[in-house]
Amino acid sequence: MNILNSHNIESLIAQLNNAPTPQQAIAIINTLTVSNTQEEVIVKILIPALSHHHPSVAAAAVVALVQLAPASVNPLIAAYEHSTDQGFQAYIIQALAQIGDERAFDLLAEVVGTTVANHCQGNVRRIATRGIGLIGRTSQNADIIRRTEEKLIWALLTPEDWGLRYAAVVSLREIATPQAQAALQQAIAQETDKVVLSRITLD
């Protein structure tokens, strides 16, 4: 594996920004992820690629940033907080949800609890809900687990978005704490969507 020096890094950034095809941009991303360059440096290069105009390039950057965790977590959170671009933010949420790091809990919980109308952001809320489920399933922190349960139970019993409720069901079933099980039983009595209901009662 080649160790990238600062000149090569700058060259790769320029190539990534100006790549004539998505395939070439993705190849550069792959080159970065298998290099011996400091993870923090690679993360700084890859986060801007989440705003690339071609979805396949942004998706490749998500995969790479997930692989670079935990080094990518704090920079991703900071990038989200300093951006107003919903598309860029959506890719950040995808990455953080797949990583499932406790440091991202507050951001993911904020996204789940945000009232939004359009389909794109609705999907982001569902992704964030699954990310919270991953955190709750893998955490050893009792406070994080409790807060995870609270947010998922809210997502199960409150929103009108059936997809969000479905994501909450999957996450609560994975956590499988007594509180999660009790909430699922409560939801059976009030759930009106057949798809969500079938997921709640799935053996």
Side-chain angles (χ1 to χ4, degrees), residues 121-187:
Q121 290 304 299
N123 188 52
V124 172
R125 295 176 77 192
R126 296 164 206 149
I127 292 169
T129 300
R130 296 295 292 121
I132 287 176
L134 176 58
I135 291 171
R137 177 161 49 89
T138 57
S139 177
Q140 302 299 315
N141 184 317
D143 183 59
I144 287 289
I145 295 171
R146 176 188 59 78
R147 293 168 64 199
T148 295
E149 291 168 344
E150 289 176 353
K151 179 55 68 174
L152 292 175
I153 290 169
W154 177 89
L156 172 66
L157 300 177
T158 307
E160 296 181 2
D161 179 357
W162 73 268
L164 183 58
R165 298 197 306 276
Y166 187 97
V169 170
V170 177
S171 292
L172 285 166
R173 285 177 63 94
E174 289 175 349
I175 293 174
T177 60
Q179 292 82 357
Q181 301 284 14
L184 290 168
Q185 288 301 312
Q186 179 184 348

Side-chain angles (χ1 to χ4, degrees), residues 4-21 24-33 35 37-52 57:
L4 300 179
N5 59 37
S6 58
H7 174 74
N8 289 335
I9 291 169
E10 303 249 340
S11 175
L12 281 170
I13 293 174
Q15 290 176 45
L16 183 56
N17 290 337
N18 300 308
T21 68
Q24 287 177 293
I26 292 169
I28 294 168
I29 290 172
N30 293 336
T31 298
L32 284 168
T33 55
S35 73
T37 307
Q38 275 191 323
E39 290 179 335
E40 292 79 5
V41 174
I42 302 174
V43 168
K44 287 180 181 179
I45 297 171
L46 291 181
I47 287 179
L50 297 174
S51 61
H52 195 278
V57 176

